[in-house]
Amino acid sequence: MAQSRIHRLDDTVVNQIAAGEVIERPANVVKELVENALDAGADRIEVLTGAGGKSLIRVTDNGSGMDAEDLGLAISRHCTSKIERELDAISTLGFRGEALPSIGSVSRLVIRSRPRAGGEAFEIAVDGGVVSGPRPAAGNPGTMVEVTSLFRSVPARLKFLKSDRAEANAITETVKRIAMSRPGVSFTLAGSDRSTLDLPATGTDSQALIARIAQILGRDFRDNAVALAAEKEDVRIAGFAGLPSFNRASASHQFVYVNGRPVRDRQLSGALRGAYSDMLARDRHAVCAIFIDTDPRLVDVNVHPAKAEVRFRDPGLIRALMISAIRRALAEEGIRASTSAADAMTTAFRPGSVPGGGPPQRASSASLPSVNAPLDFTNGLAESGQSGFAGFTPSAAVAEAPPAQEADLGGHPLGAARAQIHENYIVAQTEDSLVIVDQHAAHERLVFEALKNALAARTLPSQMLLVPDIVDLPVEDVERIVAESETLAQFGLEIERFGPGAVAVRATPAMLGEVDAQGLLRDLADDLADGNHALRIRDNIEKVASTMACHGSVRSGRRLRAEEMNALLRQMEATPGSGTCNHGRPTFIELKLSDIERLFGRR
């Protein structure tokens, strides 16, 4: 086949190619148009859709508007009012000047606009790349953009779209993500393919943001979140992070913003996982709304055509600040239970309800290994002196508290122990609630935190290899690993360069036992390439510590005395993160007295 000569593509094909990069589905169209409205200073935005955005998308705003000359430029590629010559300090949501011409090349596009400062309204239309107008029209101050018959000129793209419902849901998610960071703007999303979503403006004061977040994530999040505030150098982090026990099955409830721009960034997602690493189960995800503000010159938003990713000049600083902000906020909050667990418990207690979960899983009753546990159970199992009904053996032991302990009831968040149920659950009483504690899960967290503190206080012991293990790696990976050799030595991993493309492993952490040195080094190299700074080995060590804590904690089926139960409660109150065990399960559930009274019809 003879090679054709190089030729210039016509504008329509160029715009369709650009549309393939910017416009993947109807939700991308909505994102671009809503961002344009926000950049124009709108405080009221209305979105109307049909057939999941395939047949109709109409975005109306009350922003600054455009005159006839600007309308003509707006549908031309690389025409924008948002940047001049530099790309190193972008402060607007949009800036490429490609969205409108790209949309017009794959649909019928109509723009009607009137300057807010005064003047007449004009309308311009683009049908498959063919422009008509601008011409005079009737319109209110602001801009209306209507997109119909999306992808009709590229029918192959239509085949890859999902159902109308799925596309409508994607548009809803897009609008919510944008609206989260703009509490002073009202958003309305309506159409024949959906129920109306109305997000009125919540204001501009300090409570406006959490009010907007509650509109999107629900009041439950507001009741189960802690405020974040951290600042270092030119980076500021604010927002709200959900309690570990308030979690979801997917990461769709994680909202992260950089300078007001919603982003889905792999490094930021990794920082979130790191912040909750020993607080959530493997298949659960935290709920959060985090806002990162930094100098625009320190972040590159021109990474992806859809502007969904960013690149930081110092990603390590961002990661460390985010993790420390979340962990510090959770630690300062102290012991706190998720209200969702209490709601589920209340529902289960209502007459006629069927609990959703099965019976509690009981841990093995194997003997305890030699682990320095925070509690000292020196007297073994407490004998049950409880009297019972004839022929009935009770599974609850009453904790006989001295009268003086009643005066201390209000001074402790978890109250005083009153009984032990089924040799695993401690029932405690506070001034206004009933608390049920899983003794194994709670003590597991205490032992785990004690082990982590011990690991952080000293260099870990290592075991020398009789013959050094030589691991072949790419030269760039060798450079990254050798640069972290001092940090790795603190964890018991001793390495040194072995030629330009290899690393010699001379010792491994004793706590890990037999180690696949080659697999560990390769995983470590991948983590360092992502800017995670020797986290792989730390994660492996903490997994061992978690296993030791599980086997070294007080087991289910062990009868405890009153002083032992109260000692456990007091240590829980003094230990950060003790609301969940290191596997992510809640350690206690608190049921308010008002909820109990409602169950019995007293309220």
Side-chain angles (χ1 to χ4, degrees):
M1 179 178 178
Q3 183 176 0
S4 62
R5 294 182 61 84
I6 296 175
H7 62 282
R8 185 182 298 276
L9 297 174
D10 61 49
D11 289 343
T12 299
V13 177
V14 170
N15 286 333
Q16 288 179 352
I17 293 174
E21 298 176 346
V22 179
I23 310 300
E24 299 177 358
R25 60 192 307 188
N28 298 120
V29 176
V30 174
K31 175 180 181 293
E32 296 289 344
L33 298 182
V34 171
E35 286 181 348
N36 282 344
L38 291 172
D39 285 339
D43 60 14
R44 186 178 69 252
I45 299 175
E46 299 174 359
V47 181
L48 184 68
T49 63
K54 302 172 190 175
S55 64
L56 172 66
I57 296 174
R58 182 187 299 149
V59 177
T60 307
D61 67 68
N62 65 342
S64 58
M66 295 176 283
D67 57 21
E69 182 180 358
D70 284 342
L71 276 177
L73 290 173
I75 59 170
S76 301
R77 296 188 71 227
H78 304 149
C79 292
T80 180
S81 62
K82 302 172 185 181
I83 58 175
E84 293 295 335
R85 297 180 180 274
E86 303 295 335
L87 286 176
D88 62 348
I90 297 173
S91 59
T92 54
L93 295 176
F95 55 88
R96 294 176 180 272
E98 294 181 354
L100 291 178
S102 298
I103 295 169
S105 68
V106 294
S107 68
R108 173 171 171 78
L109 171 68
V110 176
I111 308 175
R112 185 182 303 122
S113 188
R114 177 181 172 187
R116 187 165 55 190
E120 298 179 354
F122 286 86
E123 179 181 286
I124 195 169
V126 185
D127 192 351
V130 180
V131 180
S132 61
R135 54 181 174 269
N140 296 321
T143 303
M144 185 279 297
V145 182
E146 183 176 273
V147 179
T148 55
S149 302
L150 184 63
F151 296 135
R152 71 173 183 176
S153 59
V154 281
R157 183 64 60 86
L158 282 172
K159 298 178 181 179
F160 291 92
L161 294 182
K162 298 181 179 180
S163 66
D164 291 356
R165 180 180 295 274
E167 297 297 341
N169 289 340
I171 292 174
T172 302
E173 178 69 15
T174 297
V175 172
K176 285 182 176 180
R177 285 193 174 274
I178 296 175
M180 178 82 79
S181 64
R182 305 284 177 153
V185 180
S186 66
F187 293 82
T188 301
L189 177 59
S192 59
D193 55 351
R194 66 176 65 254
S195 57
T196 300
L197 172 67
D198 190 17
L199 301 174
T202 57
T204 57
D205 58 11
S206 59
Q207 297 299 316
L209 180 59
I210 186 60
R212 171 54 57 86
I213 293 174
Q215 288 178 345
I216 296 173
L217 291 178
R219 295 182 59 184
D220 284 349
F221 177 75
R222 183 170 60 184
D223 297 336
N224 293 279
V226 296
L228 304 178
E231 184 173 353
K232 187 175 182 181
E233 298 179 8
D234 292 323
V235 181
R236 294 166 299 282
I237 292 181
F240 298 86
L243 297 174
S245 52
F246 183 80
N247 51 63
R248 293 290 183 265
S250 72
S252 61
H253 289 77
Q254 294 177 354
F255 295 76
V256 181
Y257 300 82
V258 177
N259 291 343
R261 181 190 306 277
V263 298
R264 293 182 180 273
D265 186 84
R266 183 176 62 177
Q267 291 184 349
L268 297 180
S269 298
L272 278 174
R273 289 193 299 271
Y276 288 90
S277 61
D278 55 4
M279 304 179 195
L280 292 177
R282 182 176 299 273
D283 58 344
R284 305 299 293 180
H285 300 267
V287 184
C288 64
I290 298 177
F291 302 85
I292 302 172
D293 290 310
T294 184
D295 189 329
R297 292 170 295 184
L298 301 180
V299 57
D300 183 6
V301 298
N302 192 25
V303 177
H304 189 276
K307 306 185 291 293
E309 300 176 6
V310 295
R311 182 181 293 121
F312 295 99
R313 183 174 297 180
D314 188 354
L317 171 63
I318 302 295
R319 176 187 174 87
L321 190 59
M322 180 182 291
I323 292 177
S324 64
I326 294 175
R327 288 187 173 268
R328 183 172 64 251
L330 293 175
E332 291 176 351
E333 191 68 15
I335 187 106
R336 181 176 166 189
S338 167
T339 60
S340 58
D343 292 340
M345 183 177 177
T346 304
T347 302
F349 278 152
R350 288 195 177 97
S353 64
V354 179
Q361 294 190 4
R362 300 172 65 93
S364 169
S365 57
S367 59
L368 302 180
S370 178
V371 175
N372 293 326
L375 297 182
D376 181 18
F377 298 106
T378 55
N379 293 325
L381 303 180
E383 296 183 357
S384 173
Q386 182 181 2
S387 61
F389 298 101
F392 175 72
T393 302
S395 60
V398 178
E400 296 293 345
Q405 195 166 351
E406 294 289 346
D408 299 332
L409 199 62
H412 302 296
L414 295 181
R418 290 291 178 254
Q420 183 188 27
I421 307 296
H422 292 292
E423 292 81 39
N424 187 51
Y425 301 102
I426 299 172
V427 179
Q429 175 187 346
T430 72
E431 287 185 328
D432 62 348
S433 66
L434 174 74
V435 177
I436 302 178
V437 178
D438 183 331
Q439 69 186 38
H440 173 69
H443 196 232
E444 185 178 355
R445 165 60 72 176
L446 300 182
V447 175
F448 180 55
E449 291 297 328
L451 284 171
K452 284 204 307 181
N453 291 337
L455 295 177
R458 59 185 176 87
T459 300
L460 295 180
S462 58
Q463 53 185 5
M464 300 297 297
L465 301 182
L466 293 177
V467 178
D469 201 339
I470 308 301
V471 182
D472 294 323
L473 293 170
V475 175
E476 58 272 16
D477 286 342
V478 172
E479 295 293 337
R480 294 189 187 101
I481 291 178
V482 171
E484 296 285 343
S485 58
E486 293 184 4
T487 301
L488 297 177
Q490 296 178 358
F491 292 109
L493 180 63
E494 298 180 12
I495 61 149
E496 64 182 29
R497 187 191 301 271
F498 192 80
V503 172
V505 180
R506 299 195 174 277
T508 58
M511 178 179 282
L512 296 182
E514 186 176 352
V515 175
D516 176 10
Q518 297 202 14
L520 176 61
L521 262 291
R522 291 193 176 96
D523 289 342
L524 182 60
D526 292 340
D527 284 342
L528 293 175
D530 289 337
N532 290 342
H533 299 291
L535 290 180
R536 177 75 61 174
I537 191 169
R538 182 192 297 271
D539 289 344
N540 286 347
I541 289 174
E542 289 194 353
K543 287 178 183 177
V544 174
S546 176
T547 301
M548 294 174 63
C550 183
H551 290 279
S553 56
V554 59
R555 315 302 295 179
S556 300
R558 178 174 178 176
R559 186 67 61 84
L560 303 179
R561 301 189 308 275
E563 56 269 25
E564 292 176 317
M565 288 187 275
N566 282 304
L568 181 65
L569 298 181
R570 300 294 81 80
Q571 292 206 31
M572 287 178 64
E573 293 166 352
T575 302
S578 60
T580 59
C581 74
N582 38 299
H583 302 299
R585 297 189 300 269
T587 58
F588 73 97
I589 296 175
E590 183 176 17
L591 194 61
K592 292 295 183 180
L593 183 60
S594 58
D595 295 328
I596 300 176
E597 290 175 342
R598 274 193 291 270
L599 285 173
F600 286 96
R602 290 178 174 269
R603 285 200 175 195

